[in-house]
Amino acid sequence: MSTSSHPVDPSKAIEHTQLLIDGEFVDALDGKTFETLNPATGAVITQVAEGGAADIDRAVQAARRAYDHGPWPRMKPDERAAAIWRLGDLLLADAEEIGRLETLDQGKPYSQAVGGYVPAAAALFHYMSGFATKLEGSTIPISAPGRYHTYTQREALGVVGLIVPWNFPLNIAAWKLAPALAAGNTVVIKPAEATPLSTLRLGQLCLEAGIPPGVVNVVAGYGSTAGQRLAEHPLVDKVSFTGSTATGRRILEAAKGNLKRVTLELGGKSANIIFADADIEAAIAGSTDGIFNNAGQACAAGSRLYVHDDVYDEVVAGMAEKARQIKVGDGFEPDTEIGPLVSLEHFDRVSGYLDIGRGEGEVVTGGARVGEQGYFIEPTIFAGAAQDSRIVKEEIFGPVVVASRFRDTDEVIAMANDTRYGLSSGVWTRNVSTAHTVASRIQAGNVWVNTYGVFDAAMPFGGVKESGWGREMGHEVMNDYTDVKTVCVNIDG
Ligand code: NAD
């Protein structure tokens, strides 16, 4: 897997490997560092400062000062909007470099990082910048005795902790950072230990955009130390977390000390349903992409495939054919469509599920490692597993889909809802009534009809049931980064 065929130089030195605290890149207080690895090769990319509890304390204090005394929350809304917009522009201008860091650290194809994910993050900052000038309240006619002028105003929360996973490091950081900033909050971001590099660079771009020192702090480090401290910190007013449901519970536990607000974007085991009247070719293509994109490391991945009996064989054979054609490889190879899993630990976890799946169902395609270095796994389709089997119930978070048959709408809705998760779902049909019936009865935060995995800055995203609390993106997200104050003025007095 040579990288010589691509103009980008993956070995170029990394500029930002220290913690960003109060506008300065600094070492951890105890001088500790940790290695970040390239999942395509297993090689060390660089050492990164390892923030611990004391570094989180420093960063929170910086964010606290910036919120309590600094210019950011007091700035004219249009000035705040302009800085956030500039950050979007800077991301676009920096797409090749920040995209390189994302591919190196996370493994996703460089062409997708530069051409898709970085522009999507930029679009998010551009979209969210507009809310700085639109955080309006309302006037309320009340019936209490007397004469009153009663109104609400929307206010920032204060210091917000953003805990980010490794599957879309830049984009999920942007989902949280952009609305937090638009509302006038200050933040401490804790990127995942596997993928700190793009977030550290994003921190640098925040400074270049004119966002004052201390408003955005980035502390790389481990979840059990830095993440835990951020979630429990008494001076943090809110924590927004994306990651596993198990860690989400720990965040809730940690947050209870000062009853900080909590947003949780957690796991999923999303049902993707193909009816017999669907455009089968489109359903095959969209469902294949809907599970294998990002090597299946997507909380919204369509990992449970339900296909009507009449078209089951055709769909499964079609998806298997497409899966076999997917080019799996180093993200710096120009023809790579999906990259490696993010780490050896995660590779072992997904490999474990491949073993479990062989005992619970049949392998239609895939099921093995690709190559001997790096953490690559073949796009895999299982079939014939019972609905209570582990591969149907548990989130695998890899390029693995489980296909099941159904005969009617009630049956498939019951199967789709038979899960503790409720993040996303897909429905493929030409029948408008079927589409709307499933969309209304499925227990999920998002439903895609005749498509899968469309994301947009203007579309709210998030889960129900154990997939979490709150929403990212769209105007809905602003509720999660602000509070409402009610002011009641006696106008007789
Ligand atoms: P994870 O929960 O282990 O880690 C996520 C983040 O939380 C990392 O930054 C980690 O360092 C931090 N963390 C870990 N333990 C912590 C603790 N005790 N206190 C505070 N922070 C802690 O998850 P992961 O392995 O990085 O990501 C994969 C999981 O995340 C999958 O299960 C996936 O479904 C889920 N995920 C969900 C969404 C979504 O939008 N719902 C998006 C991406 C990933």
Side-chain angles (χ1 to χ4, degrees), residues 74-423:
R74 290 157 196 87
M75 214 175 246
K76 292 286 183 207
D78 63 347
E79 290 174 37
R80 220 166 46 230
I84 299 167
W85 183 277
R86 266 196 307 279
L87 178 55
D89 286 349
L90 288 174
L91 265 175
L92 288 177
D94 196 53
E96 291 191 2
E97 177 57 11
I98 205 161
R100 179 182 78 99
L101 297 179
E102 200 78 327
T103 298
L104 265 180
D105 223 9
Q106 201 277 340
K108 51 172 57 58
Y110 179 69
S111 56
Q112 293 176 15
V114 174
Y117 291 108
V118 180
L124 211 278
F125 285 105
H126 286 155
Y127 173 84
M128 289 293 166
S129 68
F131 286 114
T133 53
K134 292 165 198 71
L135 289 176
E136 298 168 354
S138 51
T139 54
I140 306 175
I142 65 169
S143 305
R147 291 201 313 132
Y148 303 95
H149 172 52
T150 302
Y151 61 94
T152 58
Q153 60 191 43
R154 255 191 194 277
E155 298 184 344
L157 299 172
V159 175
V160 183
L162 310 179
I163 302 178
V164 179
W166 42 256
N167 55 343
F168 299 99
L170 176 66
N171 295 77
I172 295 180
W175 288 2
K176 300 178 187 304
L177 177 60
L181 290 178
N185 298 287
T186 62
V187 309
V188 177
I189 313 178
K190 212 293 286 167
E193 47 272 45
T195 54
L197 298 179
S198 60
T199 314
L200 289 167
R201 181 140 189 114
L202 178 65
Q204 165 66 25
L205 297 180
C206 288
L207 295 177
E208 289 174 23
I211 296 169
V215 173
V216 178
N217 304 276
V218 183
V219 178
Y222 290 95
S224 57
T225 50
Q228 177 75 23
R229 179 63 182 152
L230 188 55
E232 72 194 11
H233 205 293
L235 297 180
V236 172
D237 300 290
K238 185 222 165 83
V239 62
S240 175
F241 167 78
T242 298
S244 59
T245 296
T247 305
R249 289 201 166 83
R250 273 183 223 118
I251 301 277
L252 263 189
E253 191 61 35
K256 76 181 185 194
N258 68 339
L259 292 177
K260 58 175 66 65
R261 275 90 177 114
V262 177
T263 291
L264 301 172
E265 293 291 344
L266 308 175
K269 188 77 181 178
S270 299
N272 181 29
I273 304 169
I274 303 179
F275 285 86
D277 65 357
D279 174 340
I280 297 299
E281 206 181 311
I284 288 171
S287 303
T288 305
D289 190 52
I291 176 62
F292 297 129
N293 180 39
N294 207 41
Q297 301 166 114
C299 45
S303 52
R304 287 185 297 146
L305 178 73
Y306 292 106
V307 189
H308 192 278
D309 214 24
D310 292 351
V311 291
Y312 179 90
D313 292 339
E314 182 187 356
V315 168
V316 172
M319 282 181 66
E321 177 62 25
K322 280 215 179 309
R324 283 190 282 272
Q325 289 165 6
I326 291 173
K327 174 72 173 53
V328 179
D330 188 317
F332 287 109
E333 291 289 342
D335 56 349
T336 290
E337 291 170 291
I338 69 172
L341 298 187
V342 74
S343 64
L344 178 58
E345 184 194 7
H346 191 54
F347 173 86
D348 287 343
R349 186 172 170 270
V350 174
S351 301
Y353 275 108
L354 295 179
D355 292 339
I356 293 167
R358 274 186 217 101
E360 292 183 331
E362 81 187 73
V363 178
V364 178
T365 188
R369 179 176 196 168
V370 178
E372 274 156 28
Q373 74 161 19
Y375 314 130
F376 300 94
I377 283 186
E378 288 175 338
T380 299
I381 302 177
F382 283 113
Q387 289 305 293
D388 61 356
S389 62
R390 288 186 63 189
I391 57 169
V392 171
K393 288 279 178 211
E394 297 175 17
E395 182 177 50
I396 299 174
F397 221 60
V400 183
V401 63
V402 188
S404 307
R405 298 171 186 268
F406 72 91
R407 283 231 56 95
D408 69 58
T409 308
D410 285 342
E411 178 195 15
V412 75
I413 288 173
M415 289 197 287
N417 288 342
D418 183 19
T419 168
R420 65 193 183 110
Y421 294 115
L423 192 56

